[in-house]
Amino acid sequence: MKRTVFTVLLWVTTFTLFSQKSLDSSAVAEDFKIFENILKNGHPSLYEYTSKDSLDYLFNAAKDSFTNELSDIDLYKKMIQITDNVKDGHLLLFAPETIKTDQHYFPLILKIINSKFYADTDDFGIPIGSRIDTINGNESIKILEKLKKYSPTDGYNLTKKYRDIELKFGLFYAYEYGLTKEFTIVYTEPNGDRKTKKITAESFVKVKLRNTRRHSYFAHFHNQKNGFDFFSKYIGNKAPFVYYNDELSTAVLVINSFGGDIRVFKSSLVKIFKEINEKKVRHLVVDIRNNDGGFRPNAVHLFSFITQRTFKQIISEYVVSLSIPEKDYVTRTFLNEKQSLTDKFKNHPVYDGWKLNFDDMEAIMVPDPNRFIGKVYVLTGGSTFSAASTFALCAKNSPNITLIGEETGGGYYFYNGEFPVFYEFPNSKITLLMSLEKIEQHVKDTSIPHGSGVPPDKYIKLSLNNLIEGKDPLLDYIYRMIKG
């Protein structure tokens, strides 16, 4: 019996750690020093939310622990502790490719409501809306707390963290607890029955396909079948598209991304708004709940079609350095350093860096001649980030537009972006993505707490009943309001 237990424990340990790479203390120290130099010499808002003394303490505590060999995933976790305290949603840290999670992924599709996990599909005989109480003996609330650090967000915002954890739960769980072949789930069904079930891990491909059947994508609300076709059209579609509720004289414009070619995006908007205006609809809903950003000009062009007056987006751009730090470890940049960093800022020095106090895109921030002139609503969520969050802020600043949903994942007062740089550390092969510019935004309401996302005018969150019924609470609210 003892031999059997020992064999099982040995197999579990081997299975959990087989894909990790061991690094000696000098290799760990080298990678961590590069990591520290990049942040301290290039990050534009490093001490915005955590003081220099506090961050230095975290850096030093990590370095003091580098006395023995360390696995690449453990080094990744130590770096994550630092980046999580910087509180920058554009500061991304990617685990090395040696961490192979693709074949052993947590299989349940989960939704977070009021800081609790609920089943978002009816797989494995677990009813939709069942509360997940424990996973392999770990309480869900403690799991959620441990996984928060893997999702970067602007400031103290939690909505983006929760949306990220929902989509990447299997990945984050593997980082925190190791690869696991089987999961024991204790859950409470909507009727109150408490049950236990064992579930085998699955491949990432299978779990990704099952994700398309989330009840929280609200296929039932649109009288459509929940599955890949609906997901592909409404959620995965990155091109702007519009559908109509003719009974309510309402158009719903879905913008899931501000990425893609700027000219193509503008051309699509011209066609869409021509159609909307020809239909003479009286209400327009702009849905950016699943929009994690892209190119700012696309957000500017869209807002020009729904505003009745000139508008502003940003008031300053700031960098701490005129050159990219630790260039030897840069693997990719999207912009020319001399043109978009050095030459752009060199004539605008301030005490601790360089700062532009103007927006060179302001000349195009005017109403489009073919703009929509009816009532406009903008739907936001935790996944609304970067350029999409900036768009939401423009709506927030406008007295004629109603912002509905939950707080955006992007920061209210500022965000970091515009000049992203990819790094790879030489020993661990951990990848870092850092943006070099701090963008201060134009705001009208200065009472919003520091570190918040853009708050909606009308806060509406998903309830457990909404999840079970597959009812979109935001669109349902707007439709009922229009009906009067």
Side-chain angles (χ1 to χ4, degrees):
M1 180 64 181
K2 288 183 179 180
R3 180 178 176 82
T4 301
V5 171
F6 175 78
T7 302
V8 170
L9 288 175
L10 179 63
W11 179 85
V12 170
T13 303
T14 304
F15 183 80
T16 301
L17 303 178
F18 81 97
S19 61
Q20 299 181 25
K21 176 183 176 182
S22 181
L23 304 169
D24 62 37
S25 57
S26 61
V28 170
E30 181 184 13
D31 280 13
F32 196 81
K33 184 61 178 175
I34 297 166
F35 168 71
E36 183 177 9
N37 288 343
I38 291 170
L39 291 181
K40 289 188 173 180
N41 295 321
H43 195 279
S45 60
L46 189 61
Y47 307 115
E48 186 75 31
Y49 298 106
T50 302
S51 70
K52 185 179 185 303
D53 287 345
S54 296
L55 270 185
D56 283 344
Y57 175 82
L58 293 175
F59 277 117
N60 292 331
K63 286 184 282 189
D64 288 344
S65 68
F66 299 156
T67 56
N68 300 307
E69 287 187 351
L70 201 68
S71 71
D72 50 4
I73 189 63
D74 286 332
L75 176 58
Y76 171 75
K77 289 181 181 181
K78 289 183 181 295
M79 290 179 173
I80 278 282
Q81 293 287 358
I82 305 291
T83 58
D84 185 49
N85 278 276
V86 176
K87 302 187 185 307
D88 172 9
H90 285 87
L91 183 62
L92 307 180
L93 201 63
F94 302 96
E97 293 184 359
T98 54
I99 311 302
K100 302 291 186 182
T101 64
D102 55 329
Q103 293 304 311
H104 301 95
Y105 216 75
F106 182 83
L108 286 183
I109 305 300
L110 303 178
K111 187 70 181 175
I112 299 174
I113 301 175
N114 296 329
S115 302
K116 296 181 177 64
F117 291 113
Y118 293 89
D120 202 355
T121 64
D122 57 1
D123 298 306
F124 308 104
I126 299 177
I128 291 170
S130 296
R131 187 185 68 233
I132 309 304
D133 298 322
T134 67
I135 301 173
N136 287 351
N138 297 301
E139 294 181 13
S140 291
I141 190 66
K142 293 181 179 179
I143 294 174
L144 178 60
E145 193 60 34
K146 286 180 177 290
L147 299 193
K148 285 180 183 178
K149 61 179 174 286
Y150 296 106
S151 174
T153 191
D154 288 349
Y156 304 108
N157 172 275
L158 288 177
T159 58
K160 181 178 182 294
K161 284 185 179 289
Y162 288 169
R163 301 295 84 80
D164 278 354
I165 291 170
E166 290 168 355
L167 288 177
K168 304 169 188 174
F169 183 89
L171 183 67
F172 296 162
Y173 186 92
Y175 289 165
E176 185 66 22
Y177 295 98
L179 298 179
T180 306
K181 188 175 183 179
E182 188 176 68
F183 303 91
T184 300
I185 313 294
V186 178
Y187 60 97
T188 302
E189 294 184 344
N191 63 11
D193 290 347
R194 187 175 170 91
K195 296 183 178 180
T196 300
K197 186 177 289 287
K198 289 189 176 182
I199 302 174
T200 302
E202 292 187 344
S203 70
F204 170 73
V205 173
K206 278 189 176 182
V207 178
K208 184 178 180 181
L209 185 61
R210 189 178 300 114
N211 177 75
T212 64
R213 296 191 289 104
R214 284 181 178 270
H215 242 222
S216 59
Y217 288 150
F218 312 124
H220 295 291
F221 184 81
H222 295 277
N223 298 315
Q224 297 193 37
K225 184 178 179 181
N226 200 352
F228 181 79
D229 289 342
F230 177 84
F231 175 88
S232 180
K233 178 180 178 181
Y234 284 85
I235 310 299
N237 187 358
K238 299 304 180 183
F241 68 95
V242 64
Y243 61 92
Y244 299 91
N245 186 323
D246 293 329
E247 178 188 353
L248 299 178
S249 187
T250 300
V252 181
L253 174 59
V254 181
I255 309 288
N256 288 329
S257 175
F258 283 125
D261 186 275
I262 294 171
R263 290 171 297 179
V264 173
F265 189 89
K266 177 69 178 291
S267 177
S268 297
L269 292 182
V270 170
K271 293 177 182 177
I272 287 173
F273 277 91
K274 180 181 178 181
E275 178 182 288
I276 289 173
N277 289 329
E278 285 176 349
K279 284 181 171 289
K280 294 182 168 47
V281 299
R282 295 186 294 114
H283 304 272
L284 172 63
V285 179
V286 181
D287 190 344
I288 56 170
R289 284 177 287 181
N290 295 306
N291 189 324
D292 62 358
F295 299 119
R296 192 164 74 94
N298 288 339
V300 171
H301 289 321
L302 175 59
F303 199 77
S304 71
F305 278 98
I306 64 172
T307 185
Q308 308 304 317
R309 62 189 68 186
T310 58
F311 59 99
K312 295 181 67 174
Q313 273 198 336
I314 66 175
I315 59 177
S316 71
E317 298 176 70
Y318 167 83
V319 294
V320 72
S321 172
L322 294 183
S323 61
I324 300 172
E326 296 289 353
K327 292 180 186 176
D328 290 344
Y329 307 102
V330 173
T331 59
R332 184 168 40 149
T333 61
F334 297 93
L335 298 171
N336 178 274
E337 179 187 37
K338 184 178 185 300
Q339 178 182 359
S340 301
L341 190 62
T342 307
D343 291 348
K344 178 179 176 180
F345 286 94
K346 66 180 179 181
N347 296 321
H348 304 275
V350 291
Y351 177 73
D352 56 352
W354 289 261
K355 188 174 186 179
L356 299 179
N357 291 307
F358 59 87
D359 183 357
D360 55 10
M361 290 184 61
E362 201 161 303
I364 66 172
M365 296 182 185
V366 296
D368 190 275
N370 299 309
R371 64 191 180 276
F372 178 75
I373 59 173
K375 177 61 180 175
V376 179
Y377 313 86
V378 175
L379 308 186
T380 63
S383 296
T384 307
F385 186 65
S386 194
S389 190
T390 300
F391 176 87
L393 180 55
C394 286
K396 179 74 174 177
N397 289 334
S398 175
N400 300 318
I401 299 174
T402 304
L403 207 62
I404 299 174
E406 65 179 358
E407 179 185 339
T408 68
Y412 180 77
Y413 291 101
F414 78 94
Y415 67 94
N416 298 316
E418 300 302 325
F419 200 107
V421 181
F422 277 92
Y423 293 91
E424 183 180 83
F425 302 118
N427 302 298
S428 63
K429 305 303 178 183
I430 294 170
T431 299
L432 175 72
L433 172 59
M434 184 177 76
S435 292
L436 301 187
E437 290 191 30
K438 177 183 178 182
I439 315 298
E440 189 177 2
Q441 305 195 104
H442 171 66
V443 302
K444 291 187 175 180
D445 183 356
T446 58
S447 68
I448 306 302
H450 180 63
S452 299
V454 180
D457 299 314
K458 177 66 177 179
Y459 180 76
I460 298 177
K461 64 180 181 179
L462 181 74
S463 70
L464 180 56
N465 285 337
N466 294 152
L467 177 65
I468 294 171
E469 297 169 6
K471 183 171 73 175
D472 185 334
L474 276 63
L475 278 179
D476 180 65
Y477 171 81
I478 291 175
Y479 289 168
R480 287 188 290 108
M481 184 170 58
I482 291 173
K483 288 180 181 178

